[in-house]
Amino acid sequence: MSTDTPNNPFRRKCSTVAKFILHQWLIIGVGVVCVLAYFFPNVAKHGGIIRSEYSILYGAVAMVFLISGLSIPQEKLVRQLFNWRLHVLVQATSFLFIPALVLAVVHAIVAADLHAKIDRAVLAGYVFTACIPTTIASNVVMTRSAGGDDAAALAEVLIANLLGPFITAGWTVTLLPRTPEFDLWRDQDGDLTGMYRNVFKQLGLAVLLPLAVGQLVRWMWPKKTAHIILKYKIAKVGTVCLLLMIWTTFSSCFATDALQNLSAESIVFVVLFNIALYVFLTAVCFSLARPPRFLAAWTVGKWHVFKQVVPEETIAVCFCGPAKSTALGIPLLYAMWTPLDLFVKSKTSIPVLLYTTEQLCVAHVFVHVFQRWKRKFDKKDCENQGSEPAQPEMTGHLTSSLPETEPGANDRGSSNGP
């Protein structure tokens, strides 16, 4: 009888716990960086010890897009840049549907909350948050992890963040409720020149340049690049970059004491509303991308009005549509309302900070949901075609809660055109 037998149950329990922790490492990481941000806010705040406005908002974002450039085939990216149906779905959701929905909620709260228990700075911040574009880095990482079309996500990120600086400021001021309590935000006329300069400098240096370098390297050595990306699991670095961005976001929030000085009612409202809003918007995006078959069959002439997009692009829509960007949102907010007191600006920024953080946590759950949905879809598709579904490789996926797909593996059909 083996002397190791009595230890086997204990070893099995330890193995189970270790696997669970490895599966949930992103959520655990979010908790760790939030604790660090609370106790040491001066380290990663804007202008702090590590100068996160450069080291993280440039360095970490640049790393995400360098990896994207190395991973995505050129023809796939170019095809998605001309995918007009996808652009309409994502950009209309981001700049039209979400502002309309949030504005309706804000008006309802203003009408019902006569004693202003929900801070008006928070409500103004929500109108602003609804009008900013989709986030820069996390969409690509989450889409890739869920088995979606990361080229489609990248195309939507580029388009949204080029349009955002020109749309957000005027759209926010236009939508703010016409009541005296919002005059403080509506009547400010901040100088946006510096904001435009900083935003487009960041887009150029942290997004376009590393993306172009990655694409050039992949064009010169396509097979070797794809092999190295897959062998060394370089795509997982993107999820580490997400944790760094959460760290700097919360550090700036705690450093100003804006979060600590909000009323309990405001905090509860923000936290719960963010989760409900993101889940609802994801459901809306999924319904728009995969409408019921009786709607998908409806045509006007030869044009399909509600055409279903392929599963990979559906996943990209569901991650890009509901998301909002801190990297563009915070600089734009401070530029728009420069004359306001720093404390007021900090409170106004809370919806941006918390929504963008909570969307990462909820999106982490949706990664697994969409992975499972795509596997079932692929299995059903293979059964309909009379073939066996491809078996996934056992490649030690327990080392991450966000398993990436092989570069170029999702290069399937596009939904371009009617």
Side-chain angles (χ1 to χ4, degrees), residues 245-256:
M245 284 182 260
I246 295 173
W247 182 33
T248 185
T249 296
F250 268 94
S251 294
S252 298
C253 189
F254 287 129
T256 60

Side-chain angles (χ1 to χ4, degrees), residues 134-162:
T134 189
T135 188
I136 294 178
S138 62
N139 290 342
V140 179
V141 175
M142 295 293 185
T143 300
R144 183 190 303 126
S145 301
D149 193 331
D150 49 355
L154 183 55
E156 299 313 311
V157 165
L158 293 175
I159 292 172
N161 283 272
L162 288 172

Side-chain angles (χ1 to χ4, degrees), residues 70 218 221-234 406-407:
L70 294 171
R218 186 179 177 93
W221 302 285
K223 292 184 179 179
K224 183 177 291 187
T225 301
H227 173 72
I228 291 175
I229 288 287
L230 183 63
K231 180 179 179 180
Y232 296 102
K233 302 185 184 299
I234 293 177
E406 181 177 355

Side-chain angles (χ1 to χ4, degrees), residues 27-291:
I27 298 297
I28 295 172
V30 170
V32 171
V33 297
C34 286
V35 171
L36 290 175
Y38 180 79
F39 286 104
F40 309 101
N42 292 325
V43 175
K45 71 174 185 178
H46 283 238
I49 296 174
I50 66 170
R51 303 289 290 179
S52 62
E53 66 271 26
Y54 301 111
S55 61
I56 293 179
L57 292 185
Y58 277 85
V61 172
M63 181 61 66
V64 169
F65 282 92
L66 176 62
I67 294 171
S68 296
L70 294 171
S71 304
I72 301 173
Q74 288 86 356
E75 62 276 8
K76 185 178 177 182
L77 179 58
V78 171
R79 185 178 70 238
Q80 292 298 352
L81 287 173
F82 290 95
N83 190 347
W84 63 266
R85 186 183 294 274
L86 198 69
H87 303 334
V88 170
L89 276 175
V90 174
Q91 307 308 331
T93 299
S94 184
F95 290 118
L96 295 177
F97 180 78
I98 297 178
L101 175 64
V102 170
L103 185 61
V105 173
V106 168
H107 277 291
I109 293 173
V110 170
D113 184 21
L114 300 179
H115 300 289
K117 291 184 178 180
I118 305 298
D119 198 302
R120 286 345 187 207
V122 169
L123 298 182
Y126 265 116
V127 175
F128 172 80
T129 302
C131 297
I132 60 179
T134 189
T135 188
I136 294 178
S138 62
N139 290 342
V140 179
V141 175
M142 295 293 185
T143 300
R144 183 190 303 126
S145 301
D149 193 331
D150 49 355
L154 183 55
E156 299 313 311
V157 165
L158 293 175
I159 292 172
N161 283 272
L162 288 172
L163 293 176
F166 302 103
I167 295 176
T168 301
W171 197 214
T172 300
V173 175
T174 301
L175 294 180
L176 282 170
R178 301 290 172 179
T179 58
E181 51 200 340
F182 290 96
D183 287 344
L184 182 64
W185 293 272
R186 189 171 50 252
D187 296 339
Q188 300 296 331
D189 186 21
D191 183 9
L192 300 182
T193 303
M195 182 277 299
Y196 284 121
R197 182 171 58 250
N198 291 333
V199 166
F200 285 111
K201 181 173 70 173
Q202 183 182 14
L203 283 174
L205 295 179
V207 177
L208 297 178
L209 180 60
L211 178 63
V213 170
Q215 287 283 280
L216 178 62
V217 171
R218 186 179 177 93
W219 177 73
M220 295 177 66
W221 302 285
K223 292 184 179 179
K224 183 177 291 187
T225 301
H227 173 72
I228 291 175
I229 288 287
L230 183 63
K231 180 179 179 180
Y232 296 102
K233 302 185 184 299
I234 293 177
K236 297 183 185 298
V237 176
T239 55
V240 177
C241 293
L242 293 184
L243 290 177
L244 293 177
M245 284 182 260
I246 295 173
W247 182 33
T248 185
T249 296
F250 268 94
S251 294
S252 298
C253 189
F254 287 129
T256 60
D257 289 331
L259 190 60
Q260 296 92 314
N261 284 280
L262 275 186
S263 66
E265 292 86 354
S266 296
I267 292 292
V268 171
F269 167 73
V270 170
V271 172
L272 297 182
F273 180 66
N274 286 344
I275 296 174
L277 180 62
Y278 188 85
V279 172
F280 175 74
L281 291 174
T282 302
V284 169
C285 289
F286 184 85
S287 300
L288 292 174
R290 304 286 299 180

